[in-house]
Tab-separated table of all heavy atoms in Angstrom:
chain	number	residue	atom	x	y	z
A	1	GLY	N	0.857	-1.200	0.000
A	1	GLY	CA	-0.027	0.014	-0.017
A	1	GLY	C	0.859	1.254	0.024
A	1	GLY	O	2.049	1.123	-0.016
A	2	PRO	N	0.159	2.378	0.057
A	2	PRO	CA	1.003	3.607	0.025
A	2	PRO	C	1.845	3.709	1.240
A	2	PRO	O	1.386	3.576	2.396
A	2	PRO	CB	-0.127	4.673	0.019
A	2	PRO	CG	-1.357	4.072	-0.432
A	2	PRO	CD	-1.292	2.642	-0.021
A	3	GLY	N	3.165	3.728	0.985
A	3	GLY	CA	4.127	3.798	2.067
A	3	GLY	C	4.506	2.522	2.718
A	3	GLY	O	5.287	2.441	3.614
A	4	GLY	N	3.907	1.388	2.305
A	4	GLY	CA	4.188	0.089	2.867
A	4	GLY	C	5.263	-0.724	2.095
A	4	GLY	O	5.547	-0.390	0.965
A	5	PRO	N	5.874	-1.728	2.684
A	5	PRO	CA	6.868	-2.562	2.004
A	5	PRO	C	6.244	-3.365	0.883
A	5	PRO	O	5.089	-3.800	0.965
A	5	PRO	CB	7.432	-3.454	3.074
A	5	PRO	CG	6.364	-3.552	4.060
A	5	PRO	CD	5.587	-2.260	4.008
A	6	PRO	N	6.962	-3.652	-0.180
A	6	PRO	CA	6.482	-4.500	-1.328
A	6	PRO	C	6.339	-5.935	-0.868
A	6	PRO	O	7.018	-6.368	0.039
A	6	PRO	CB	7.477	-4.333	-2.421
A	6	PRO	CG	8.760	-4.042	-1.686
A	6	PRO	CD	8.370	-3.224	-0.502
A	7	PRO	N	5.477	-6.667	-1.548
A	7	PRO	CA	5.341	-8.136	-1.144
A	7	PRO	C	6.620	-8.848	-1.463
A	7	PRO	O	7.351	-8.555	-2.424
A	7	PRO	CB	4.179	-8.584	-2.068
A	7	PRO	CG	4.185	-7.664	-3.170
A	7	PRO	CD	4.588	-6.291	-2.633
A	8	PRO	N	7.061	-9.827	-0.670
A	8	PRO	CA	8.287	-10.553	-0.908
A	8	PRO	C	8.227	-11.400	-2.142
A	8	PRO	O	7.194	-11.996	-2.496
A	8	PRO	CB	8.480	-11.411	0.378
A	8	PRO	CG	7.068	-11.617	0.886
A	8	PRO	CD	6.308	-10.306	0.525
A	9	GLU	N	9.434	-11.593	-2.804
A	9	GLU	CA	9.468	-12.461	-3.988
A	9	GLU	C	9.704	-13.894	-3.533
A	9	GLU	O	10.544	-14.174	-2.647
A	9	GLU	CB	10.620	-12.011	-4.913
A	9	GLU	CG	10.360	-10.581	-5.503
A	9	GLU	CD	11.514	-10.211	-6.435
A	9	GLU	OE1	12.442	-11.046	-6.638
A	9	GLU	OE2	11.407	-9.164	-7.072
A	10	VAL	N	9.058	-14.806	-4.147
A	10	VAL	CA	9.110	-16.235	-3.833
A	10	VAL	C	9.621	-17.007	-5.038
A	10	VAL	O	9.011	-16.931	-6.123
A	10	VAL	CB	7.841	-16.824	-3.338
A	10	VAL	CG1	7.915	-18.294	-3.052
A	10	VAL	CG2	7.265	-16.045	-2.131
A	11	ALA	N	10.760	-17.767	-4.965
A	11	ALA	CA	11.271	-18.562	-6.084
A	11	ALA	C	10.489	-19.896	-6.165
A	11	ALA	O	10.304	-20.559	-5.128
A	11	ALA	CB	12.755	-18.854	-5.863
A	12	VAL	N	10.114	-20.230	-7.336
A	12	VAL	CA	9.327	-21.439	-7.560
A	12	VAL	C	10.074	-22.337	-8.528
A	12	VAL	O	10.588	-21.824	-9.576
A	12	VAL	CB	7.925	-21.122	-8.141
A	12	VAL	CG1	7.134	-22.366	-8.370
A	12	VAL	CG2	7.209	-20.199	-7.186
A	13	ALA	N	10.280	-23.657	-8.189
A	13	ALA	CA	10.919	-24.620	-9.040
A	13	ALA	C	10.041	-25.771	-9.309
A	13	ALA	O	9.334	-26.244	-8.413
A	13	ALA	CB	12.214	-25.164	-8.393
A	14	LYS	N	10.032	-26.212	-10.603
A	14	LYS	CA	9.137	-27.316	-10.960
A	14	LYS	C	9.902	-28.630	-10.749
A	14	LYS	O	11.020	-28.845	-11.275
A	14	LYS	CB	8.734	-27.196	-12.424
A	14	LYS	CG	7.736	-28.223	-12.809
A	14	LYS	CD	7.330	-28.013	-14.306
A	14	LYS	CE	6.374	-29.118	-14.708
A	14	LYS	NZ	5.974	-28.922	-16.169
A	15	LEU	N	9.386	-29.567	-9.998
A	15	LEU	CA	9.972	-30.843	-9.681
A	15	LEU	C	9.710	-31.818	-10.811
A	15	LEU	O	8.581	-31.990	-11.283
A	15	LEU	CB	9.411	-31.432	-8.390
A	15	LEU	CG	9.694	-30.584	-7.139
A	15	LEU	CD1	9.103	-31.232	-5.898
A	15	LEU	CD2	11.214	-30.360	-6.965
A	16	THR	N	10.770	-32.435	-11.321
A	16	THR	CA	10.650	-33.502	-12.364
A	16	THR	C	11.414	-34.707	-11.940
A	16	THR	O	12.341	-34.658	-11.090
A	16	THR	CB	11.239	-32.976	-13.689
A	16	THR	OG1	12.587	-32.657	-13.547
A	16	THR	CG2	10.437	-31.754	-14.162
A	17	THR	N	11.160	-35.875	-12.532
A	17	THR	CA	11.844	-37.102	-12.229
A	17	THR	C	12.509	-37.676	-13.506
A	17	THR	O	11.907	-37.544	-14.581
A	17	THR	CB	10.842	-38.165	-11.697
A	17	THR	OG1	9.825	-38.425	-12.673
A	17	THR	CG2	10.267	-37.776	-10.404
A	18	GLU	N	13.731	-38.178	-13.350
A	18	GLU	CA	14.427	-38.762	-14.466
A	18	GLU	C	15.454	-39.776	-13.944
A	18	GLU	O	15.848	-39.712	-12.759
A	18	GLU	CB	15.163	-37.704	-15.315
A	18	GLU	CG	16.169	-36.927	-14.527
A	18	GLU	CD	16.881	-35.883	-15.396
A	18	GLU	OE1	16.487	-35.666	-16.593
A	18	GLU	OE2	17.779	-35.171	-14.848
A	19	LYS	N	15.916	-40.678	-14.842
A	19	LYS	CA	16.930	-41.684	-14.448
A	19	LYS	C	18.281	-41.090	-14.511
A	19	LYS	O	18.698	-40.364	-15.475
A	19	LYS	CB	16.835	-42.888	-15.435
A	19	LYS	CG	15.553	-43.627	-15.309
A	19	LYS	CD	15.616	-44.879	-16.248
A	19	LYS	CE	14.337	-45.736	-16.151
A	19	LYS	NZ	14.339	-46.922	-16.977
A	20	VAL	N	19.109	-41.350	-13.421
A	20	VAL	CA	20.456	-40.824	-13.345
A	20	VAL	C	21.458	-42.011	-13.174
A	20	VAL	O	21.239	-42.860	-12.368
A	20	VAL	CB	20.584	-39.887	-12.105
A	20	VAL	CG1	22.044	-39.365	-11.991
A	20	VAL	CG2	19.629	-38.672	-12.241
A	21	THR	N	22.518	-42.010	-13.990
A	21	THR	CA	23.528	-43.076	-13.936
A	21	THR	C	24.627	-42.614	-12.985
A	21	THR	O	25.260	-41.552	-13.137
A	21	THR	CB	24.138	-43.341	-15.298
A	21	THR	OG1	23.128	-43.708	-16.183
A	21	THR	CG2	25.199	-44.449	-15.227
A	22	VAL	N	24.852	-43.418	-11.925
A	22	VAL	CA	25.930	-43.068	-10.976
A	22	VAL	C	27.271	-43.763	-11.479
A	22	VAL	O	27.284	-44.977	-11.751
A	22	VAL	CB	25.573	-43.664	-9.569
A	22	VAL	CG1	26.649	-43.333	-8.590
A	22	VAL	CG2	24.235	-43.050	-9.095
A	23	PHE	N	28.324	-42.986	-11.534
A	23	PHE	CA	29.633	-43.549	-12.012
A	23	PHE	C	30.726	-42.926	-11.173
A	23	PHE	O	30.566	-41.897	-10.567
A	23	PHE	CB	29.830	-43.267	-13.524
A	23	PHE	CG	29.889	-41.775	-13.832
A	23	PHE	CD1	31.181	-41.190	-13.884
A	23	PHE	CD2	28.767	-41.077	-14.075
A	23	PHE	CE1	31.272	-39.831	-14.195
A	23	PHE	CE2	28.874	-39.727	-14.444
A	23	PHE	CZ	30.140	-39.073	-14.473
A	24	GLU	N	31.900	-43.639	-11.184
A	24	GLU	CA	33.057	-43.158	-10.530
A	24	GLU	C	34.209	-43.260	-11.436
A	24	GLU	O	34.313	-44.171	-12.305
A	24	GLU	CB	33.346	-43.964	-9.244
A	24	GLU	CG	32.267	-43.834	-8.150
A	24	GLU	CD	32.520	-44.648	-6.930
A	24	GLU	OE1	33.579	-45.377	-6.953
A	24	GLU	OE2	31.818	-44.544	-5.983
A	25	GLU	N	35.248	-42.368	-11.325
A	25	GLU	CA	36.439	-42.316	-12.204
A	25	GLU	C	37.649	-42.754	-11.342
A	25	GLU	O	37.791	-42.351	-10.215
A	25	GLU	CB	36.638	-40.927	-12.783
A	25	GLU	CG	35.553	-40.505	-13.673
A	25	GLU	CD	35.831	-39.146	-14.279
A	25	GLU	OE1	36.884	-38.548	-13.926
A	25	GLU	OE2	35.029	-38.664	-15.120
A	26	TYR	N	38.490	-43.664	-11.980
A	26	TYR	CA	39.688	-44.092	-11.375
A	26	TYR	C	40.817	-44.002	-12.343
A	26	TYR	O	40.640	-44.072	-13.599
A	26	TYR	CB	39.569	-45.561	-10.854
A	26	TYR	CG	38.513	-45.771	-9.823
A	26	TYR	CD1	37.201	-46.127	-10.172
A	26	TYR	CD2	38.742	-45.611	-8.499
A	26	TYR	CE1	36.229	-46.340	-9.234
A	26	TYR	CE2	37.797	-45.793	-7.512
A	26	TYR	CZ	36.523	-46.186	-7.896
A	26	TYR	OH	35.582	-46.392	-6.925
A	27	VAL	N	42.038	-43.920	-11.865
A	27	VAL	CA	43.246	-43.945	-12.675
A	27	VAL	C	43.749	-45.350	-12.680
A	27	VAL	O	44.029	-46.020	-11.626
A	27	VAL	CB	44.367	-42.981	-12.128
A	27	VAL	CG1	45.600	-43.106	-12.980
A	27	VAL	CG2	43.804	-41.550	-12.093
A	28	GLY	N	43.893	-45.972	-13.864
A	28	GLY	CA	44.324	-47.382	-13.954
A	28	GLY	C	45.418	-47.517	-15.080
A	28	GLY	O	45.814	-46.591	-15.713
A	29	GLN	N	45.878	-48.718	-15.142
A	29	GLN	CA	46.965	-49.072	-16.069
A	29	GLN	C	46.602	-50.390	-16.728
A	29	GLN	O	46.319	-51.343	-16.047
A	29	GLN	CB	48.331	-49.144	-15.408
A	29	GLN	CG	49.476	-49.463	-16.350
A	29	GLN	CD	50.786	-49.495	-15.687
A	29	GLN	OE1	50.871	-49.223	-14.490
A	29	GLN	NE2	51.872	-49.853	-16.386
């Protein structure tokens, strides 16, 4: 309102699901 603080901004994220491959890296010979 006149002379009042503005409304706070709220971040919104859309949740999605997907397959993730877990891998590890090693140094070999």
